[in-house]
Amino acid sequence: MATIEDVAKAAGVSASTVSYVLSGKRSISAPTRRRVEQAIATLGYRPHAGARALASARTEVIGLTIPLRSGIDVPVIMQFAGGVVTRAREHSHDVLLLTQDDLEGLERATNGSMVDALVVMDVEADDARIPILTRSRQPSVLVGLPRDASGLSCVDLDFEAAGRLAAQHLSELGHRQVAMLGAPPEVVDRHTSYVDRVMRGFAEGAPDHGLDAKVVSCPGAPAEVARVVDELLAEAPGTSGLFVHNERALPHVLSSLREAGRSVPGDVSVIALCPEDVALAQQVPMTAIDLPASTIGSLAVDMVMARLDGGQHAETRLLTPVLTTRGSTARH
Amino acid sequence: MATIEDVAKAAGVSASTVSYVLSGKRSISAPTRRRVEQAIATLGYRPHAGARALASARTEVIGLTIPLRSGIDVPVIMQFAGGVVTRAREHSHDVLLLTQDDLEGLERATNGSMVDALVVMDVEADDARIPILTRSRQPSVLVGLPRDASGLSCVDLDFEAAGRLAAQHLSELGHRQVAMLGAPPEVVDRHTSYVDRVMRGFAEGAPDHGLDAKVVSCPGAPAEVARVVDELLAEAPGTSGLFVHNERALPHVLSSLREAGRSVPGDVSVIALCPEDVALAQQVPMTAIDLPASTIGSLAVDMVMARLDGGQHAETRLLTPVLTTRGSTARH
DNA sequence: ATATCAATTCGAAGCGCTTCGACGCGGCAG
DNA sequence: CTGCCGCGTCGAAGCGCTTCGAATTGATAT
């Protein structure tokens, strides 16, 4: 591989001059710059990332932790990761992939100076990673809301408001008896922050709007979804409004309802909380609160970058949920 | 951050000794090793990745390119990526995430010595990345089969055999008129290698088994799936066997059939080509050819590692497809 | 007692880059 | 004509680690 010395020789300048051409940190005369750029192009030179990191204490890489475990809504994660990677590139950074529960990996990435900053997904209320992040030199932004976020940036959809919004909307449509189908039990038990928050928002918002509400968790497998729906309809036959926060279960909820002889939206209004494309991919285009995963990913990167080069302070940003009416809800 | 010098001082040895303790490349007496390890633990020392890469010409990172574009079966990719990351960790490597069409990123990663090796997903017949990979110093393995793979390792499910297998199975069940619903048109047009290969396998295998077969591409949106299915049933009303290679469309294919008054598997047998969990998540548990994405990911990493430290030669490995009979097929 | 050897450990060089201080040079004001 | 200033460039130091050859030591062989 060509080194900066090779380029310097080819351009008839010193290595430092090449470096300054690359970084723009000192002024370089137009002819010199041209010669250097020419040499770089013909040699196909790329700076050695390690050498650069060593000398400058900057890696131009950000770490991203993603969950690989069960019960997760995969498309949401992919959209989120896509948003992160895309925006990171726009800030000329690459992305190092870490997995959720690899604490050692986090240490390696931070203390080993593999990354300049971190984006951490799917944060739990008392997340084991938080102490590591707090201690680390690199800024980080959490996606989700831990119990104690002191000194850390957070970003997320305002899931509690989303829960309330769903309740309010069902109320405005004239429903009185409603229910929420949430994440699978195993996810609920982990107390991943957003899961808790939606449920709380819905459960607390419903009575405020005069609703009689049930909240149940819901597995993803078709047979189990059917069972949950059947049980629900048996216990509360008057249920006419449903709020579903579970991508995998969503299609099966719709077919279970149909199978139970309840039409959507004729007999039952259904509101989903999911990405737009998922809402549109159902048998009935869903009235839904958008889960703007890609946007959140981009935003997370913007925030972490601002802290990197702006010295910006830690902040928490919650996006206001937006509900779009489509074909799965009707006045009651 | 603590450096290797700090550790050396704390342990009363030289830096090189610490290095040898870490790498195990020279023998170290038990007491010395103990003191060094103790110092490392109390200081929380982690070697600086950049410095290490610079001195050793090894980064302990592998690059992974994943597709973020439209029409892609997201869960498959996630499973694949999960397999790669998990196995990479077992080889004590981290993973740098690159996106499909970021050629500049590929150059940066390889020529810039950011990675030791590469795993490239979703390879097209004439993939623009192949010349870069061939030129690069690092070994790489492609997931998929390009037209010309000289000097590069490849691994994939034997999609052509999968297509043939589906045809054979439908034939054995007694079907005579069958059809394949493939990937969305935009994906087919890209000539992603596996898409072409399944279609070819099915189209060529069907006549061998005395089948009358149609092959059509299929969008993912519910309304469009319904249209495609209806058209198919109109043109070839005798169709009693279906082979579906399109995860997103799969649930809608099943409901479209039902809506058209054809029961599964009573009137129509349906075979899917998808991961096992997707097959099980349908309304009817699907007879399916498994797409072992996670396994392929692990294997890709194993292959690339073998080349890294074994000097192993480039090789191509195609996994034999396995069909599992479940509830969506019946004798005809 | 001396030569030899294996087992450990050390010192120094060097990986490729950034960055700081210094230098040379032409143009300007005095 | 002299002194300054600023622009453009260079040289050297140093980032933290690995690795090679060499040095030290105690033990074994002669």
Side-chain angles (χ1 to χ4, degrees):
Chain A
M1 275 297 82
T3 72
I4 201 174
E5 282 292 351
D6 299 331
V7 174
K9 237 166 262 167
V13 299
S14 76
S16 51
T17 299
V18 176
S19 178
Y20 287 123
V21 167
L22 250 21
S23 69
K25 292 192 178 172
R26 284 196 182 176
S27 54
I28 298 287
S29 68
T32 304
R33 155 174 294 107
R34 215 180 340 274
R35 265 161 37 229
V36 170
E37 283 166 350
Q38 174 62 45
I40 289 177
T42 55
L43 293 178
Y45 166 74
R46 318 269 156 168
H48 186 290
R52 183 171 257 191
L54 182 55
S56 67
R58 279 282 220 140
T59 63
E60 311 272 281
V61 173
I62 73 178
L64 169 66
T65 69
I66 67 168
L68 288 176
R69 43 195 189 186
S70 67
I72 293 288
D73 286 339
V74 172
V76 175
I77 296 181
M78 280 291 282
Q79 285 183 23
F80 179 82
V84 168
V85 173
T86 306
R87 188 59 128 248
R89 278 314 310 153
E90 288 166 16
H91 290 277
S92 26
H93 278 244
D94 280 295
V95 172
L96 187 78
L97 199 56
L98 301 168
T99 54
Q100 190 73 311
D101 31 40
D102 181 9
L103 293 183
E104 168 55 25
L106 247 196
E107 295 271 15
R108 202 173 346 111
T110 58
N111 290 344
S113 299
M114 301 183 79
V115 301
D116 292 339
L118 282 156
V119 173
V120 178
M121 286 193 66
D122 212 23
V123 173
E124 297 175 20
D126 294 292
D127 203 294
R129 295 165 297 181
I130 291 181
I132 301 179
L133 296 174
T134 309
R135 228 183 301 124
S136 86
R137 205 167 356 100
Q138 293 88 345
S140 51
V141 10
L142 312 184
V143 178
L145 283 184
R147 202 182 307 285
D148 175 18
S150 45
L152 297 172
S153 288
C154 302
V155 59
D156 212 347
L157 179 66
D158 189 338
F159 278 98
E160 193 163 338
R164 291 181 178 277
L165 178 56
Q168 178 190 337
H169 192 72
L170 287 174
S171 159
E172 286 171 1
L173 286 174
H175 298 282
R176 281 299 160 260
Q177 191 156 18
V178 300
M180 166 172 176
L181 297 177
E186 81 236 50
V187 176
V188 173
D189 290 346
R190 273 204 295 265
H191 293 290
T192 304
S193 83
Y194 70 92
V195 171
D196 288 354
R197 282 147 55 212
V198 189
M199 289 183 152
R200 188 177 338 124
F202 188 79
E204 292 179 354
D208 295 353
H209 294 285
L211 294 180
D212 178 5
K214 265 188 132 55
V215 175
V216 299
S217 65
C218 181
E224 310 219 41
V225 175
R227 183 178 51 71
V228 169
V229 171
D230 289 348
E231 280 176 20
L232 180 70
L233 293 179
E235 287 177 31
T239 301
S240 66
L242 233 43
F243 175 44
V244 181
H245 176 212
N246 186 322
E247 268 185 40
R248 279 178 59 210
L250 189 51
H252 309 306
V253 170
L254 295 177
S255 30
S256 300
L257 285 173
R258 178 182 316 182
E259 229 126 274
R262 316 248 182 160
S263 72
V264 174
D267 300 321
V268 181
S269 287
V270 181
I271 300 178
L273 172 52
C274 65
E276 191 178 36
D277 57 334
V278 174
L280 292 172
Q282 305 304 316
Q283 296 181 359
V284 183
M286 304 291 302
T287 292
I289 297 174
D290 187 26
L291 185 40
S294 172
T295 304
I296 294 176
S298 303
L299 198 51
V301 173
D302 287 343
M303 287 170 66
V304 92
M305 284 298 158
R307 291 189 63 189
L308 253 190
D309 40 48
Q312 193 83 21
H313 238 306
E315 54 174 337
T316 291
R317 295 176 62 163
L318 293 182
L319 303 182
T320 304
V322 175
L323 185 147
T324 303
T325 306
R326 300 199 186 88
S328 65
T329 47
R331 296 209 60 78
H332 196 65
Chain B
M1 276 295 82
T3 71
I4 201 171
E5 282 292 350
D6 300 331
V7 174
K9 239 167 261 168
V13 298
S14 75
S16 51
T17 301
V18 177
S19 178
Y20 286 122
V21 167
L22 250 21
S23 70
K25 294 193 177 172
R26 284 196 184 176
S27 56
I28 299 287
S29 68
T32 304
R33 156 175 292 108
R34 216 181 340 276
R35 271 171 21 239
V36 170
E37 281 165 351
Q38 175 61 44
I40 289 177
T42 54
L43 293 178
Y45 166 75
R46 318 268 157 169
H48 186 291
R52 184 169 255 193
L54 183 53
S56 68
R58 277 283 220 140
T59 62
E60 310 272 282
V61 172
I62 73 177
L64 169 65
T65 67
I66 66 168
L68 288 177
R69 42 196 191 186
S70 67
I72 294 287
D73 286 339
V74 172
V76 175
I77 295 180
M78 280 292 281
Q79 286 183 23
F80 179 83
V84 168
V85 173
T86 306
R87 188 58 127 250
R89 279 312 312 151
E90 288 166 17
H91 290 277
S92 26
H93 278 244
D94 280 296
V95 172
L96 187 78
L97 198 57
L98 300 168
T99 53
Q100 189 73 311
D101 31 41
D102 181 9
L103 293 183
E104 168 55 26
L106 247 196
E107 294 270 17
R108 204 174 343 111
T110 57
N111 289 345
S113 299
M114 302 183 77
V115 301
D116 291 340
L118 283 156
V119 173
V120 178
M121 288 193 64
D122 211 26
V123 174
E124 298 176 20
D126 295 291
D127 203 292
R129 296 167 296 182
I130 291 181
I132 300 179
L133 296 174
T134 309
R135 229 183 299 123
S136 88
R137 204 167 356 100
Q138 292 88 345
S140 50
V141 10
L142 313 184
V143 177
L145 283 184
R147 202 183 306 285
D148 175 17
S150 46
L152 297 172
S153 287
C154 302
V155 57
D156 212 347
L157 178 66
D158 188 338
F159 279 98
E160 192 163 338
R164 290 181 178 278
L165 178 55
Q168 178 191 336
H169 192 73
L170 287 174
S171 159
E172 287 170 1
L173 286 172
H175 298 282
R176 281 300 161 259
Q177 190 157 18
V178 301
M180 166 172 178
L181 297 178
E186 80 236 52
V187 177
V188 173
D189 290 346
R190 274 203 295 264
H191 292 290
T192 305
S193 82
Y194 69 93
V195 171
D196 288 353
R197 281 148 54 213
V198 189
M199 290 183 153
R200 189 179 337 125
F202 188 79
E204 293 179 356
D208 295 353
H209 294 284
L211 294 179
D212 178 3
K214 266 188 130 58
V215 175
V216 299
S217 65
C218 181
E224 310 219 43
V225 175
R227 184 178 51 70
V228 170
V229 171
D230 288 347
E231 281 176 19
L232 180 69
L233 293 179
E235 288 177 30
T239 301
S240 66
L242 233 44
F243 175 43
V244 181
H245 175 212
N246 185 323
E247 269 186 40
R248 279 178 60 209
L250 188 52
H252 309 306
V253 170
L254 295 177
S255 30
S256 300
L257 285 173
R258 178 183 316 183
E259 228 128 276
R262 315 248 182 160
S263 72
V264 174
D267 299 322
V268 180
S269 288
V270 181
I271 299 179
L273 173 52
C274 65
E276 190 178 37
D277 58 333
V278 173
L280 293 171
Q282 305 304 315
Q283 297 181 358
V284 182
M286 304 293 299
T287 292
I289 296 174
D290 187 27
L291 186 40
S294 172
T295 303
I296 295 176
S298 304
L299 197 51
V301 172
D302 287 344
M303 287 170 67
V304 92
M305 286 297 159
R307 291 189 64 189
L308 253 189
D309 38 48
Q312 192 83 23
H313 238 303
E315 54 175 337
T316 290
R317 296 177 60 166
L318 293 183
L319 303 182
T320 304
V322 175
L323 184 146
T324 303
T325 306
R326 299 200 186 87
S328 64
T329 46
R331 297 212 58 79
H332 196 67

